[in-house]
Amino acid sequence: MTQDPLLSVQNVTTQFVTEEGIVRAVDDLSFDVHRGETLGLVGESGAGKSVAIRSIMRLISSPGEIVSGTITYKGHVILDRSQGPDGEVRDGEAMLSEAEMRSKIRGREIALIFQDPMESLNPVFTIGSQLREFIEINRDLSNAEAKAEAIELLREVGIPEAESRYHEYPHQFSGGMRQRVLIAMALACKPDLIIADEPTTALDVTVEGQILDLIEQLKTEYETSFIWVTHDMGVVAEICDRVNVMYLGELIEQAPVDELFHETKHPYTEALLRSIPKPHETTGEFDPIRGIMPDGMNAPSGCRFHPRCPDAREVCMSVHPDLREIDDGQNAACLKYDVFDADYDDSPPLVVDENGERVPAETVESVGGDD
Amino acid sequence: MLIGIATITFLLVNAMPGDPVRIMLGPGTDQATIDAVQSRYGLDQPLYERYFNYMAGVAQGDLGNSIHYNGVPVTEKILERLPVTLLLVASSFTLAISMAVPLGAIAARRQNKATDHVSRIIALIGVSTPSFWIGLMLIIVFAYQLNVFPSSGLIMPWAHPSDVPQAANRIEVLGSSLYHLVLPTITLGTLQTAAIMRIQRSSMLEVLNRDYITLAQAYGVSSRTVLRKHALRNAQLPVVTIIGIQLTTALGGAVLTETVFSINGMGTLIITAVESQDYPLIMGVTLFFGVIFVVGVLITDLLYAYLDPRITYGGGDH
Ligand SMILES: Nc1ncnc2c1ncn2[C@@H]1O[C@H](COP(=O)(O)OP(=O)(O)OP(=O)(O)O)[C@@H](O)[C@H]1O
Ligand code: SF4
Ligand SMILES: [Mg+2]
């Protein structure tokens, strides 16, 4: 794509200061979203996906802070922040103020749909009043017009008897219906980018299918771009054009969806793909990724995936790979590729210790490596 | 519910050792007089008969006659004292709610900033300091040393000017009433302010982390509206419960506060009643506290239903 990207995220780092220490939930994240495309953002729970998208909207609140990075959207500078040597953050001149974020970006240009439809609606206000409030804030409509628009939107996302359901409270809606309401909210202000944070994980499979169909239909109708956060590779295959894979706050692979599935570059992505339960297999053959993901506080040295990586070698413990182009349009952060020039081929492989973690062979006594 | 309270009070009071008539008449009174007085108050009848008579009376709003106050009906005595206590409780609640709700909410907004720390320390001191001690300190400082507020008495805002010293008209009565209310209100209100503030803060903190708050922000709702409209109403649910519970503890606090400030309210009434073992009066006042408690619970429930659409009375979804 030669055209300027719709959204450009460059080197964004977001951290949380907790009692136990500082967690870099998002570390030096860079990616683009082009017009009309659906970008998948995948990774295990705790990878930093939600923090990443909240950072794009500048919705990180204490104890979290975006410490550096640049984000531009259609020429608006959403973020331009750098951290001086003293640790103090400085914002660039052109960066939008909080008020400008509210009046120009949030809702109007970029809309969010959250993970849990049960949690995303305010329990003490009616569906209609919540939807209407968002419409009134972002579009110059009168109260009555906003109400009519809200009912129309509810109808459009497939809520039957929209007129009477307008007056009902969230607890009177099923999960799928609430998710439709959230989609109606996202559509309300005709944004050019919708960021959906695992919008279907809380739903059962049939409802999920219906919601995905609805999204496909709206995509063709409005030509909206999407960032679709999920840890479901099946959903990725179904709706995404390109995919970003995240591990412990970092992007470790970027690829068009076909290449991601068929010419997988990063060992973590391979593990993720293997972990998809296939319908014709019994659950016994389900292959979860070995080991648990460490938390952001104790991120492993070198390549953060090395304790769990089947291809790990000693060099992976000390050298931290950045994201580099491996193939046309396909980037990965893995030392086994020649572009890294890291002596991977001559480095001794790591073996599995009694905790299931990969360590240098000499640290494991006697018969190393189980199964 | 109320029948239960009445029954328990009746049994407890009658299980108390001692004889109110002997206390009232003093030692050395001859048996004939004692018998006469006892039969006047029905104390010579067997327990079960007294119980049924009492319950029948309660049902008709008759709580019997006070022994200590020479046969004045208990209801009359209570109605005379009740407004004083209600005024005290109401003013301390007004103080508590008007301070605690905004302070708690602001503390939550500025979590871990200076405002938050200061308010948390104040709240901690507030809940852990006994109210009689606060009362005594206030009297020493503001009444005796600085001489700015009176140390005793309470004037009802609706009292007649001729009954109030140095008050020529209704406005001055009101002023004098407020003037007398200041120290007792602070004494009684501190604990409530602190307790409500703590709950307000933690409840607000919890709500501010909910997805629907982030969602509202993500759609460009201003942080002020998010706080006042989207968060506050949800955060008030646990606070309402605490306010309901505080109503009961406030009655206990009122007993102490009234004693410290020599105010003739329900608190001093029940102390007099217990000291003189005035059975009917003790039962009457206790029953009344019970009623207030039940009313408190009822108000809490109604408020809850108003704030939270998920709760409907009469069952079923509407
Ligand atoms: N409020 C917070 N306080 C402290 N740490 C936080 C906070 N929010 C997020 N984090 C840190 O950021 C990490 C990433 O969290 P995030 O919610 O972005 O994960 P995720 O990829 O969205 O996971 P999931 O699939 O479960 O939604 C967490 O593991 C945690 O360490
Ligand atoms: S760099 Fe090494 S440890 Fe990391 S993914 Fe590649 S092979 Fe595995
Ligand atoms: Mg998430």
Side-chain angles (χ1 to χ4, degrees), chain B residues 10-312:
Chain B
F10 181 86
L11 292 176
L12 279 179
V13 170
N14 280 289
M16 286 195 335
D19 181 338
V21 177
R22 280 182 206 279
I23 291 176
M24 183 179 76
L25 298 177
T29 317
D30 66 284
Q31 193 59 38
T33 322
I34 290 175
D35 287 347
V37 175
Q38 278 194 331
S39 83
R40 197 169 104 214
Y41 290 104
L43 292 173
D44 53 348
Q45 291 162 4
L47 195 64
Y48 69 90
E49 208 164 299
R50 272 157 54 197
Y51 174 72
F52 284 114
N53 286 342
Y54 182 70
M55 293 305 277
V58 170
Q60 295 160 22
D62 176 10
L63 300 175
N65 298 328
S66 161
I67 301 172
H68 177 78
Y69 291 103
N70 293 321
V72 175
V74 168
T75 336
E76 190 178 302
K77 206 71 208 165
I78 288 175
L79 289 180
E80 173 196 317
R81 296 293 190 92
L82 186 65
V84 177
T85 303
L86 287 185
L87 177 68
L88 189 56
V89 170
S91 76
S92 72
F93 262 85
T94 313
L95 172 79
I97 294 171
S98 61
M99 297 274 292
V101 170
L103 283 181
I106 291 169
R109 254 290 286 295
R110 311 206 178 288
Q111 191 196 358
N112 294 327
K113 304 249 169 68
T115 337
D116 186 24
H117 291 313
V118 170
S119 72
R120 277 160 81 186
I121 291 168
I122 293 175
L124 194 65
I125 295 172
V127 283
S128 45
T129 313
S131 60
F132 72 86
W133 191 82
I134 296 177
L136 290 174
M137 286 301 130
L138 288 174
I139 289 178
I140 290 171
V141 175
F142 291 98
Y144 294 151
Q145 292 188 344
L146 302 176
N147 205 11
V148 282
F149 289 113
S151 67
S152 67
L154 197 63
I155 290 162
M156 304 309 287
W158 51 84
H160 196 272
S162 60
D163 296 336
V164 181
Q166 295 156 4
N169 53 38
R170 296 225 162 258
I171 305 287
E172 285 185 27
V173 173
L174 199 65
S176 175
S177 168
L178 285 175
Y179 183 58
H180 279 84
L181 258 176
V182 173
L183 296 187
T185 300
I186 296 175
T187 305
L188 187 53
T190 306
L191 173 67
Q192 281 128 34
T193 310
I196 297 172
M197 192 158 91
R198 295 178 88 184
I199 297 294
Q200 181 73 53
R201 176 183 176 275
S202 62
S203 162
M204 198 71 180
L205 262 185
E206 208 226 286
V207 169
L208 284 176
N209 277 323
R210 303 298 278 270
D211 279 355
Y212 54 76
I213 296 301
T214 319
L215 191 83
Q217 290 167 337
Y219 281 91
V221 180
S222 70
S223 44
R224 168 188 281 233
T225 313
V226 166
L227 197 70
R228 290 203 187 158
K229 181 179 164 188
H230 297 255
L232 199 57
R233 184 140 165 207
N234 284 286
Q236 279 341 82
L237 296 172
V239 178
V240 162
T241 316
I242 284 298
I243 293 177
I245 295 169
Q246 284 296 316
L247 191 64
T248 340
T249 51
L251 289 175
V255 175
L256 291 171
T257 309
E258 287 174 8
T259 312
V260 172
F261 289 92
S262 325
I263 294 167
N264 287 327
M266 293 284 281
T268 32
L269 183 65
I270 195 161
I271 286 177
T272 314
V274 172
E275 276 171 1
S276 59
Q277 296 208 1
D278 187 343
Y279 290 171
L281 194 55
I282 297 174
M283 288 190 289
V285 176
T286 315
L287 189 62
F288 228 88
F289 278 172
V291 172
I292 292 177
F293 173 73
V294 173
V295 169
V297 171
L298 205 69
I299 293 175
T300 310
D301 281 358
L302 289 176
L303 255 177
Y304 224 107
Y306 165 73
L307 289 171
D308 190 347
R310 285 164 293 190
I311 298 171
T312 48

Side-chain angles (χ1 to χ4, degrees), chain A residues 266-267 303 305-306 309 311-312 316 321 334-335 344:
Chain A
H266 199 281
C303 171
F305 187 50
H306 84 255
C309 177
D311 299 339
C316 304
C334 174
L335 297 173
Y344 174 87

Side-chain angles (χ1 to χ4, degrees), chain A residues 91-259:
Chain A
D91 292 338
E93 295 272 307
M95 188 170 110
L96 297 182
S97 66
E98 247 326 275
E100 287 170 319
M101 278 302 288
R102 276 203 299 275
S103 62
K104 292 187 176 149
I105 303 294
R106 295 184 191 142
R108 288 184 190 220
E109 287 291 347
I110 309 179
L112 271 186
I113 303 175
F114 281 140
Q115 203 153 1
D116 187 353
M118 304 296 170
E119 268 287 306
S120 305
L121 292 166
N122 196 323
V124 302
F125 298 113
T126 61
I127 295 288
S129 70
Q130 298 185 48
L131 185 51
R132 199 192 62 216
E133 183 183 18
F134 295 164
I135 296 174
E136 275 175 25
I137 287 175
N138 293 302
R139 286 162 66 180
D140 300 319
L141 294 180
S142 72
N143 198 305
E145 285 167 330
K147 180 178 174 181
E149 176 72 17
I151 292 173
E152 186 49 42
L153 278 163
L154 290 176
R155 209 171 276 138
E156 200 171 327
V157 295
I159 291 175
E161 295 164 58
E163 212 134 324
S164 63
R165 306 221 71 180
Y166 178 93
H167 299 286
E168 291 185 1
Y169 288 93
H171 72 276
Q172 293 165 293
F173 278 58
S174 68
M177 284 296 153
R178 286 189 222 194
Q179 198 54 275
R180 284 169 196 265
V181 173
L182 292 171
I183 293 171
M185 285 174 172
L187 295 174
C189 315
K190 313 245 179 294
D192 281 347
L193 175 62
I194 294 180
I195 304 180
D197 190 354
E198 311 201 42
T200 55
T201 28
L203 306 176
D204 67 51
V205 187
T206 16
V207 184
E208 175 175 31
Q210 290 167 4
I211 299 287
L212 292 180
D213 288 346
L214 174 66
I215 294 287
E216 284 294 335
Q217 179 196 328
L218 297 170
K219 241 166 78 177
T220 40
E221 197 171 319
Y222 293 100
E223 296 182 336
T224 315
S225 305
F226 279 87
I227 298 178
W228 200 274
V229 177
T230 181
H231 47 230
D232 184 340
M233 295 305 273
V235 173
V236 169
E238 197 169 328
I239 63 162
C240 295
D241 302 314
R242 281 192 314 130
V243 187
N244 281 341
V245 184
M246 236 180 140
Y247 186 76
L248 272 183
E250 297 181 314
L251 282 189
I252 50 90
E253 181 157 4
Q254 287 179 313
V257 70
D258 286 340
E259 280 82 347

